[in-house]
Short mmCIF file of all heavy atoms in Angstrom, two decimals:
data_model
loop_
_atom_site.label_atom_id
_atom_site.label_comp_id
_atom_site.label_asym_id
_atom_site.label_seq_id
_atom_site.Cartn_x
_atom_site.Cartn_y
_atom_site.Cartn_z
N MET A 41 -14.53 89.77 -134.42
CA MET A 41 -15.35 89.24 -133.56
C MET A 41 -15.42 89.67 -132.09
O MET A 41 -16.38 89.97 -131.57
CB MET A 41 -15.18 87.69 -133.64
CG MET A 41 -15.49 86.91 -134.86
SD MET A 41 -15.27 85.06 -134.80
CE MET A 41 -13.50 84.95 -135.03
N GLU A 42 -14.04 89.85 -131.68
CA GLU A 42 -13.87 90.32 -130.26
C GLU A 42 -14.51 91.78 -130.10
O GLU A 42 -15.02 91.96 -129.10
CB GLU A 42 -12.58 90.24 -129.91
CG GLU A 42 -12.02 88.83 -129.77
CD GLU A 42 -10.55 88.65 -129.58
OE1 GLU A 42 -9.82 89.60 -129.87
OE2 GLU A 42 -10.01 87.52 -129.28
N GLU A 43 -14.26 92.55 -131.07
CA GLU A 43 -14.80 93.89 -131.02
C GLU A 43 -16.30 94.04 -130.98
O GLU A 43 -16.73 94.98 -130.40
CB GLU A 43 -14.34 94.70 -132.40
CG GLU A 43 -12.84 94.85 -132.43
CD GLU A 43 -12.40 95.51 -133.72
OE1 GLU A 43 -13.36 95.85 -134.58
OE2 GLU A 43 -11.19 95.79 -133.95
N ARG A 44 -16.93 93.02 -131.36
CA ARG A 44 -18.44 92.97 -131.20
C ARG A 44 -18.89 92.27 -130.12
O ARG A 44 -20.07 91.87 -129.90
CB ARG A 44 -19.04 92.45 -132.53
CG ARG A 44 -18.79 93.25 -133.76
CD ARG A 44 -19.42 92.77 -134.97
NE ARG A 44 -19.22 93.63 -136.02
CZ ARG A 44 -19.94 93.79 -137.04
NH1 ARG A 44 -21.04 93.01 -137.13
NH2 ARG A 44 -19.73 94.60 -137.99
N GLY A 45 -18.07 91.85 -129.11
CA GLY A 45 -18.35 91.23 -127.90
C GLY A 45 -18.53 89.71 -127.99
O GLY A 45 -18.89 89.18 -127.08
N PHE A 46 -17.99 89.18 -129.12
CA PHE A 46 -18.16 87.65 -129.24
C PHE A 46 -16.79 87.14 -128.89
O PHE A 46 -15.78 87.48 -129.39
CB PHE A 46 -18.51 87.37 -130.63
CG PHE A 46 -18.41 85.85 -130.92
CD1 PHE A 46 -19.43 85.04 -130.47
CD2 PHE A 46 -17.41 85.31 -131.77
CE1 PHE A 46 -19.39 83.65 -130.75
CE2 PHE A 46 -17.33 83.95 -132.04
CZ PHE A 46 -18.32 83.13 -131.42
N GLU A 47 -16.79 86.22 -127.88
CA GLU A 47 -15.52 85.46 -127.53
C GLU A 47 -15.40 84.25 -128.26
O GLU A 47 -16.07 83.33 -128.00
CB GLU A 47 -15.49 85.24 -126.00
CG GLU A 47 -14.17 84.80 -125.51
CD GLU A 47 -13.14 85.90 -125.64
OE1 GLU A 47 -13.28 87.05 -125.55
OE2 GLU A 47 -11.86 85.46 -125.88
N PRO A 48 -14.46 84.25 -129.36
CA PRO A 48 -14.42 83.04 -130.14
C PRO A 48 -13.88 81.88 -129.49
O PRO A 48 -12.98 82.08 -128.62
CB PRO A 48 -13.42 83.54 -131.33
CG PRO A 48 -13.02 84.79 -130.96
CD PRO A 48 -13.55 85.33 -129.80
N ASN A 49 -14.28 80.68 -129.88
CA ASN A 49 -13.78 79.53 -129.31
C ASN A 49 -12.80 78.83 -130.35
O ASN A 49 -12.65 79.42 -131.38
CB ASN A 49 -14.96 78.39 -128.95
CG ASN A 49 -15.70 78.11 -130.04
OD1 ASN A 49 -15.43 78.22 -131.21
ND2 ASN A 49 -16.92 77.56 -129.71
N ILE A 50 -12.29 77.74 -130.09
CA ILE A 50 -11.36 77.11 -131.05
C ILE A 50 -11.94 76.68 -132.34
O ILE A 50 -11.30 76.79 -133.31
CB ILE A 50 -10.50 75.79 -130.35
CG1 ILE A 50 -9.25 75.57 -131.16
CG2 ILE A 50 -11.50 74.73 -130.27
CD1 ILE A 50 -8.31 76.60 -131.35
N VAL A 51 -13.25 76.50 -132.31
CA VAL A 51 -13.89 76.13 -133.64
C VAL A 51 -13.86 77.32 -134.59
O VAL A 51 -13.56 77.32 -135.70
CB VAL A 51 -15.37 75.61 -133.42
CG1 VAL A 51 -16.09 75.40 -134.68
CG2 VAL A 51 -15.25 74.24 -132.62
N ALA A 52 -14.15 78.46 -133.91
CA ALA A 52 -14.24 79.80 -134.69
C ALA A 52 -12.80 80.06 -135.28
O ALA A 52 -12.61 80.47 -136.33
CB ALA A 52 -14.68 80.93 -133.93
N TYR A 53 -11.83 79.93 -134.37
CA TYR A 53 -10.36 80.24 -134.67
C TYR A 53 -10.04 79.22 -135.81
O TYR A 53 -9.31 79.61 -136.81
CB TYR A 53 -9.55 80.08 -133.57
CG TYR A 53 -9.51 81.28 -132.74
CD1 TYR A 53 -9.99 81.26 -131.42
CD2 TYR A 53 -9.15 82.66 -133.14
CE1 TYR A 53 -9.93 82.42 -130.61
CE2 TYR A 53 -9.16 83.71 -132.41
CZ TYR A 53 -9.47 83.70 -131.08
OH TYR A 53 -9.43 84.82 -130.31
N ASN A 54 -10.35 77.91 -135.67
CA ASN A 54 -9.97 76.93 -136.70
C ASN A 54 -10.53 77.36 -138.02
O ASN A 54 -9.94 77.17 -139.06
CB ASN A 54 -10.56 75.55 -136.31
CG ASN A 54 -9.71 74.91 -135.33
OD1 ASN A 54 -8.55 75.30 -134.93
ND2 ASN A 54 -10.23 73.80 -134.70
N THR A 55 -11.83 77.93 -138.08
CA THR A 55 -12.40 78.35 -139.38
C THR A 55 -11.63 79.44 -140.01
O THR A 55 -11.25 79.47 -141.28
CB THR A 55 -13.80 78.68 -139.10
OG1 THR A 55 -14.60 77.55 -138.57
CG2 THR A 55 -14.42 79.19 -140.30
N VAL A 56 -11.20 80.36 -139.26
CA VAL A 56 -10.44 81.53 -139.74
C VAL A 56 -9.01 81.07 -140.17
O VAL A 56 -8.56 81.39 -141.27
CB VAL A 56 -10.32 82.72 -138.77
CG1 VAL A 56 -9.49 83.77 -139.32
CG2 VAL A 56 -11.73 83.15 -138.52
N ILE A 57 -8.36 80.26 -139.39
CA ILE A 57 -7.05 79.67 -139.72
C ILE A 57 -7.24 78.90 -141.03
O ILE A 57 -6.28 79.07 -141.85
CB ILE A 57 -6.48 78.86 -138.64
CG1 ILE A 57 -6.02 79.73 -137.47
CG2 ILE A 57 -5.37 78.00 -139.00
CD1 ILE A 57 -5.73 79.04 -136.18
N ASP A 58 -8.13 78.07 -141.24
CA ASP A 58 -8.33 77.25 -142.43
C ASP A 58 -8.62 78.18 -143.70
O ASP A 58 -7.90 78.00 -144.64
CB ASP A 58 -9.55 76.38 -142.31
CG ASP A 58 -9.65 75.42 -143.53
OD1 ASP A 58 -8.64 74.86 -143.86
OD2 ASP A 58 -10.77 75.24 -143.96
N CYS A 59 -9.39 79.18 -143.46
CA CYS A 59 -9.62 80.23 -144.56
C CYS A 59 -8.19 80.87 -144.94
O CYS A 59 -7.91 81.08 -146.22
CB CYS A 59 -10.57 81.27 -144.26
SG CYS A 59 -12.19 80.66 -144.21
N LEU A 60 -7.36 81.36 -144.03
CA LEU A 60 -6.13 81.91 -144.27
C LEU A 60 -5.21 80.94 -145.02
O LEU A 60 -4.57 81.33 -145.96
CB LEU A 60 -5.51 82.42 -142.97
CG LEU A 60 -6.25 83.63 -142.27
CD1 LEU A 60 -5.60 83.86 -140.96
CD2 LEU A 60 -6.00 84.96 -143.27
N ARG A 61 -5.14 79.72 -144.57
CA ARG A 61 -4.34 78.79 -145.11
C ARG A 61 -4.78 78.45 -146.59
O ARG A 61 -3.85 78.31 -147.49
CB ARG A 61 -4.38 77.49 -144.35
CG ARG A 61 -3.42 76.36 -144.75
CD ARG A 61 -3.69 75.12 -143.92
NE ARG A 61 -5.03 74.53 -144.17
CZ ARG A 61 -5.40 73.78 -145.16
NH1 ARG A 61 -4.56 73.43 -146.22
NH2 ARG A 61 -6.62 73.23 -145.32
N ASN A 62 -6.04 78.36 -146.83
CA ASN A 62 -6.50 78.04 -148.15
C ASN A 62 -6.24 79.16 -149.08
O ASN A 62 -6.01 78.85 -150.33
CB ASN A 62 -8.06 77.75 -148.14
CG ASN A 62 -8.39 76.48 -147.53
OD1 ASN A 62 -7.56 75.47 -147.54
ND2 ASN A 62 -9.61 76.32 -146.98
N LYS A 63 -6.03 80.41 -148.68
CA LYS A 63 -5.80 81.42 -149.60
C LYS A 63 -4.27 81.71 -149.77
O LYS A 63 -3.86 82.65 -150.42
CB LYS A 63 -6.59 82.80 -149.24
CG LYS A 63 -6.07 83.52 -148.08
CD LYS A 63 -6.68 84.87 -147.93
CE LYS A 63 -5.91 85.82 -147.18
NZ LYS A 63 -6.38 87.07 -147.19
N GLY A 64 -3.52 80.85 -148.99
CA GLY A 64 -2.05 81.01 -149.14
C GLY A 64 -1.47 81.84 -148.20
O GLY A 64 -0.28 82.23 -148.40
N SER A 65 -2.12 82.30 -147.20
CA SER A 65 -1.57 83.11 -146.13
C SER A 65 -1.15 82.40 -144.92
O SER A 65 -1.65 82.60 -143.79
CB SER A 65 -2.58 84.20 -145.75
OG SER A 65 -2.98 84.93 -146.89
N LEU A 66 -0.20 81.62 -145.08
CA LEU A 66 0.27 80.66 -143.94
C LEU A 66 0.82 81.57 -142.83
O LEU A 66 0.65 81.24 -141.62
CB LEU A 66 1.18 79.62 -144.47
CG LEU A 66 1.59 78.63 -143.48
CD1 LEU A 66 0.47 77.81 -142.84
CD2 LEU A 66 2.65 77.65 -143.95
N ASN A 67 1.54 82.57 -143.22
CA ASN A 67 2.12 83.39 -142.07
C ASN A 67 1.04 84.15 -141.28
O ASN A 67 1.15 84.08 -140.00
CB ASN A 67 2.99 84.51 -142.62
CG ASN A 67 4.46 84.01 -143.14
OD1 ASN A 67 4.81 82.94 -142.64
ND2 ASN A 67 4.99 84.62 -143.99
N GLU A 68 -0.06 84.43 -141.85
CA GLU A 68 -1.13 85.12 -141.18
C GLU A 68 -1.81 84.00 -140.28
O GLU A 68 -2.26 84.32 -139.12
CB GLU A 68 -2.11 85.75 -142.10
CG GLU A 68 -1.67 87.10 -142.77
CD GLU A 68 -2.72 87.66 -143.58
OE1 GLU A 68 -3.82 87.85 -143.17
OE2 GLU A 68 -2.38 87.77 -144.73
N ALA A 69 -1.99 82.74 -140.73
CA ALA A 69 -2.54 81.70 -140.08
C ALA A 69 -1.65 81.42 -138.82
O ALA A 69 -2.31 81.18 -137.83
CB ALA A 69 -2.63 80.44 -140.94
N LEU A 70 -0.36 81.31 -139.03
CA LEU A 70 0.54 81.11 -137.98
C LEU A 70 0.43 82.30 -136.89
O LEU A 70 0.50 81.97 -135.57
CB LEU A 70 1.98 80.89 -138.39
CG LEU A 70 2.21 79.59 -139.11
CD1 LEU A 70 3.54 79.54 -139.75
CD2 LEU A 70 1.99 78.37 -138.25
N ASN A 71 0.42 83.50 -137.27
CA ASN A 71 0.12 84.61 -136.35
C ASN A 71 -1.10 84.41 -135.63
O ASN A 71 -1.15 84.73 -134.37
CB ASN A 71 0.26 85.90 -137.09
CG ASN A 71 1.61 86.28 -137.61
OD1 ASN A 71 2.61 85.84 -137.16
ND2 ASN A 71 1.67 87.12 -138.61
N LEU A 72 -2.20 84.13 -136.31
CA LEU A 72 -3.46 83.87 -135.52
C LEU A 72 -3.36 82.73 -134.53
O LEU A 72 -3.81 82.88 -133.48
CB LEU A 72 -4.54 83.72 -136.58
CG LEU A 72 -5.97 83.45 -135.87
CD1 LEU A 72 -6.39 84.62 -134.94
CD2 LEU A 72 -7.05 83.17 -137.01
N PHE A 73 -2.65 81.72 -134.97
CA PHE A 73 -2.54 80.60 -134.02
C PHE A 73 -1.70 81.02 -132.81
O PHE A 73 -2.08 80.69 -131.69
CB PHE A 73 -1.69 79.47 -134.71
CG PHE A 73 -1.32 78.33 -133.82
CD1 PHE A 73 -2.26 77.39 -133.52
CD2 PHE A 73 -0.07 78.16 -133.36
CE1 PHE A 73 -1.96 76.39 -132.69
CE2 PHE A 73 0.30 77.17 -132.45
CZ PHE A 73 -0.74 76.34 -132.14
N SER A 74 -0.70 81.87 -132.92
CA SER A 74 0.01 82.32 -131.76
C SER A 74 -0.81 83.21 -130.94
O SER A 74 -0.84 83.15 -129.73
CB SER A 74 1.20 83.33 -132.29
OG SER A 74 2.08 82.55 -133.01
N HIS A 75 -1.70 84.01 -131.56
CA HIS A 75 -2.66 84.87 -130.87
C HIS A 75 -3.53 84.06 -129.97
O HIS A 75 -3.92 84.38 -128.87
CB HIS A 75 -3.45 85.80 -131.81
CG HIS A 75 -4.60 86.51 -131.31
ND1 HIS A 75 -4.37 87.78 -130.48
CD2 HIS A 75 -5.86 86.40 -131.23
CE1 HIS A 75 -5.50 88.15 -130.03
NE2 HIS A 75 -6.46 87.38 -130.47
N VAL A 76 -4.03 82.87 -130.58
CA VAL A 76 -4.90 82.06 -129.88
C VAL A 76 -4.39 81.46 -128.66
O VAL A 76 -4.95 81.46 -127.52
CB VAL A 76 -5.42 80.87 -130.89
CG1 VAL A 76 -6.02 79.68 -130.10
CG2 VAL A 76 -6.25 81.49 -132.00
N THR A 77 -3.12 81.03 -128.78
CA THR A 77 -2.55 80.52 -127.60
C THR A 77 -2.22 81.43 -126.49
O THR A 77 -2.32 81.15 -125.31
CB THR A 77 -1.17 79.63 -128.02
OG1 THR A 77 -0.25 80.49 -128.70
CG2 THR A 77 -1.55 78.40 -128.98
N VAL A 78 -1.88 82.68 -126.89
CA VAL A 78 -1.63 83.68 -125.91
C VAL A 78 -2.92 84.10 -125.15
O VAL A 78 -2.90 84.36 -123.94
CB VAL A 78 -1.04 85.07 -126.75
CG1 VAL A 78 -1.03 86.12 -125.74
CG2 VAL A 78 0.43 84.75 -127.06
N LYS A 79 -4.00 84.05 -125.87
CA LYS A 79 -5.27 84.34 -125.22
C LYS A 79 -5.64 83.19 -124.38
O LYS A 79 -6.75 83.36 -123.65
CB LYS A 79 -6.29 84.54 -126.17
CG LYS A 79 -6.20 86.00 -126.92
CD LYS A 79 -7.33 86.29 -127.87
CE LYS A 79 -8.56 86.40 -127.16
NZ LYS A 79 -8.88 87.49 -126.26
N GLY A 80 -5.00 82.05 -124.34
CA GLY A 80 -5.45 81.04 -123.50
C GLY A 80 -6.33 79.98 -124.01
O GLY A 80 -6.90 79.17 -123.31
N VAL A 81 -6.75 80.21 -125.32
CA VAL A 81 -7.57 79.28 -125.93
C VAL A 81 -6.73 78.08 -126.34
O VAL A 81 -5.58 78.16 -127.07
CB VAL A 81 -8.22 79.80 -127.22
CG1 VAL A 81 -9.12 78.80 -127.92
CG2 VAL A 81 -9.08 81.06 -126.83
N ARG A 82 -7.16 76.75 -126.01
CA ARG A 82 -6.20 75.68 -126.29
C ARG A 82 -6.58 75.03 -127.72
O ARG A 82 -7.72 74.72 -127.89
CB ARG A 82 -6.56 74.54 -125.22
CG ARG A 82 -6.06 74.98 -123.83
CD ARG A 82 -6.13 73.92 -122.93
NE ARG A 82 -5.20 72.96 -123.30
CZ ARG A 82 -5.06 71.80 -122.75
NH1 ARG A 82 -5.81 71.34 -121.78
NH2 ARG A 82 -4.10 70.97 -123.27
N PRO A 83 -5.65 74.98 -128.55
CA PRO A 83 -5.80 74.39 -129.91
C PRO A 83 -6.19 72.91 -129.71
O PRO A 83 -5.70 72.30 -128.71
CB PRO A 83 -4.44 74.52 -130.48
CG PRO A 83 -3.73 75.62 -129.81
CD PRO A 83 -4.29 75.62 -128.35
N ASN A 84 -6.82 72.37 -130.55
CA ASN A 84 -7.15 71.02 -130.52
C ASN A 84 -6.52 70.20 -131.63
O ASN A 84 -5.77 70.79 -132.36
CB ASN A 84 -8.72 70.76 -130.59
CG ASN A 84 -9.37 71.39 -131.76
OD1 ASN A 84 -8.70 71.47 -132.81
ND2 ASN A 84 -10.71 71.52 -131.67
N ILE A 85 -6.82 68.86 -131.75
CA ILE A 85 -6.13 68.03 -132.65
C ILE A 85 -6.43 68.52 -134.17
O ILE A 85 -5.45 68.48 -134.95
CB ILE A 85 -6.42 66.54 -132.43
CG1 ILE A 85 -5.47 65.74 -133.20
CG2 ILE A 85 -7.82 66.26 -132.79
CD1 ILE A 85 -4.06 65.65 -132.62
N VAL A 86 -7.54 69.12 -134.34
CA VAL A 86 -7.93 69.55 -135.68
C VAL A 86 -7.03 70.78 -136.02
O VAL A 86 -6.60 70.76 -137.12
CB VAL A 86 -9.42 70.04 -135.68
CG1 VAL A 86 -9.69 70.63 -137.05
CG2 VAL A 86 -10.39 68.82 -135.44
N THR A 87 -6.74 71.51 -135.11
CA THR A 87 -5.87 72.78 -135.41
C THR A 87 -4.52 72.39 -135.92
O THR A 87 -4.04 72.79 -136.79
CB THR A 87 -5.76 73.70 -134.04
OG1 THR A 87 -7.04 73.83 -133.64
CG2 THR A 87 -5.12 75.00 -134.43
N TYR A 88 -3.93 71.37 -135.08
CA TYR A 88 -2.62 71.01 -135.33
C TYR A 88 -2.59 70.21 -136.70
O TYR A 88 -1.76 70.41 -137.63
CB TYR A 88 -1.99 70.04 -134.22
CG TYR A 88 -1.68 70.96 -133.02
CD1 TYR A 88 -2.33 70.83 -131.97
CD2 TYR A 88 -0.57 71.82 -133.06
CE1 TYR A 88 -1.97 71.55 -130.74
CE2 TYR A 88 -0.35 72.55 -132.04
CZ TYR A 88 -1.02 72.47 -130.81
OH TYR A 88 -0.60 73.17 -129.88
N ASN A 89 -3.34 69.21 -136.76
CA ASN A 89 -3.26 68.16 -138.00
C ASN A 89 -3.88 68.79 -139.27
O ASN A 89 -3.14 68.89 -140.30
CB ASN A 89 -4.11 66.93 -137.72
CG ASN A 89 -3.35 66.03 -136.68
OD1 ASN A 89 -2.17 66.21 -136.49
ND2 ASN A 89 -4.00 65.19 -136.01
N ARG A 90 -5.09 69.24 -139.20
CA ARG A 90 -5.76 69.56 -140.52
C ARG A 90 -5.25 70.90 -141.04
O ARG A 90 -4.98 71.03 -142.35
CB ARG A 90 -7.25 69.66 -140.37
CG ARG A 90 -7.95 69.87 -141.60
CD ARG A 90 -9.38 69.58 -141.44
NE ARG A 90 -10.03 69.90 -142.72
CZ ARG A 90 -11.31 70.34 -142.74
NH1 ARG A 90 -12.04 70.23 -141.77
NH2 ARG A 90 -11.80 70.56 -143.88
N TYR A 91 -5.02 71.78 -140.22
CA TYR A 91 -4.82 73.14 -140.72
C TYR A 91 -3.33 73.45 -140.68
O TYR A 91 -2.77 73.95 -141.74
CB TYR A 91 -5.50 74.19 -139.82
CG TYR A 91 -7.02 73.93 -139.81
CD1 TYR A 91 -7.81 73.91 -138.52
CD2 TYR A 91 -7.69 73.69 -140.92
CE1 TYR A 91 -9.03 73.75 -138.49
CE2 TYR A 91 -9.09 73.47 -140.93
CZ TYR A 91 -9.79 73.40 -139.69
OH TYR A 91 -11.04 73.26 -139.69
N LEU A 92 -2.59 73.36 -139.65
CA LEU A 92 -1.27 73.79 -139.52
C LEU A 92 -0.29 72.73 -140.25
O LEU A 92 0.37 73.29 -141.11
CB LEU A 92 -0.78 73.99 -138.12
CG LEU A 92 -1.61 75.22 -137.39
CD1 LEU A 92 -1.09 75.34 -135.90
CD2 LEU A 92 -1.32 76.55 -138.26
N LEU A 93 -0.31 71.56 -139.96
CA LEU A 93 0.48 70.55 -140.65
C LEU A 93 0.26 70.50 -142.14
O LEU A 93 1.24 70.46 -142.97
CB LEU A 93 0.34 69.23 -139.97
CG LEU A 93 0.95 69.16 -138.56
CD1 LEU A 93 0.73 67.67 -138.06
CD2 LEU A 93 2.41 69.45 -138.47
N ASN A 94 -1.08 70.36 -142.53
CA ASN A 94 -1.28 70.37 -143.95
C ASN A 94 -0.81 71.69 -144.58
O ASN A 94 -0.35 71.52 -145.84
CB ASN A 94 -2.81 70.16 -144.11
CG ASN A 94 -3.30 68.68 -143.82
OD1 ASN A 94 -2.41 67.85 -143.94
ND2 ASN A 94 -4.44 68.56 -143.64
N GLY A 95 -0.95 72.76 -143.88
CA GLY A 95 -0.46 74.03 -144.48
C GLY A 95 1.00 74.02 -144.79
O GLY A 95 1.48 74.39 -145.85
N PHE A 96 1.83 73.42 -143.84
CA PHE A 96 3.23 73.34 -144.06
C PHE A 96 3.57 72.31 -145.14
O PHE A 96 4.44 72.58 -145.93
CB PHE A 96 3.97 72.81 -142.73
CG PHE A 96 4.17 74.01 -141.82
CD1 PHE A 96 3.55 73.92 -140.53
CD2 PHE A 96 4.84 75.13 -142.05
CE1 PHE A 96 3.77 74.83 -139.61
CE2 PHE A 96 5.05 76.04 -141.14
CZ PHE A 96 4.54 76.00 -139.87
N LEU A 97 2.82 71.20 -145.15
CA LEU A 97 3.24 70.22 -146.17
C LEU A 97 2.69 70.65 -147.59
O LEU A 97 3.32 70.20 -148.67
CB LEU A 97 2.38 68.99 -145.82
CG LEU A 97 2.81 68.28 -144.59
CD1 LEU A 97 1.92 67.09 -144.22
CD2 LEU A 97 4.36 67.86 -144.70
N ASN A 98 1.79 71.48 -147.74
CA ASN A 98 1.28 71.96 -148.99
C ASN A 98 1.99 73.19 -149.52
O ASN A 98 1.70 73.62 -150.66
CB ASN A 98 -0.14 72.16 -148.99
CG ASN A 98 -0.96 70.81 -148.92
OD1 ASN A 98 -0.56 69.79 -149.34
ND2 ASN A 98 -2.16 70.83 -148.19
N ASN A 99 2.88 73.75 -148.73
CA ASN A 99 3.55 75.00 -149.21
C ASN A 99 4.85 74.62 -149.68
O ASN A 99 5.60 73.90 -149.34
CB ASN A 99 3.61 76.19 -148.14
CG ASN A 99 2.27 76.77 -148.06
OD1 ASN A 99 1.59 76.92 -149.09
ND2 ASN A 99 1.84 77.27 -146.99
#
């Protein structure tokens, strides 16, 4: 997305994190989460609850 000039917001990142989590790539999802926070994008309650916590609980 960034290579094409699109600056993703937390909704876009949440979608990608959810896809990674659903396919069982929790480490990749966590790496993306780290990238998001380094870039200064603030995760929201959806990021923490639905995607990351559920990912840990389901693995």
Side-chain angles (χ1 to χ4, degrees):
M41 288 184 278
E42 294 169 345
E43 292 173 0
R44 294 184 177 208
F46 175 71
E47 189 63 36
N49 61 16
I50 194 58
V51 175
Y53 282 119
N54 283 347
T55 302
V56 176
I57 289 170
D58 189 40
C59 290
L60 290 169
R61 184 187 61 84
N62 284 338
K63 76 173 204 173
S65 300
L66 187 58
N67 285 336
E68 288 181 58
L70 290 172
N71 287 338
L72 181 57
F73 175 77
S74 294
H75 174 76
V76 167
T77 56
V78 167
K79 287 190 59 76
V81 178
R82 294 191 64 189
N84 59 21
I85 194 73
V86 173
T87 310
Y88 287 111
N89 286 341
R90 184 165 177 207
Y91 304 128
L92 296 178
L93 289 178
N94 286 341
F96 281 119
L97 294 174
N98 291 327
N99 280 333

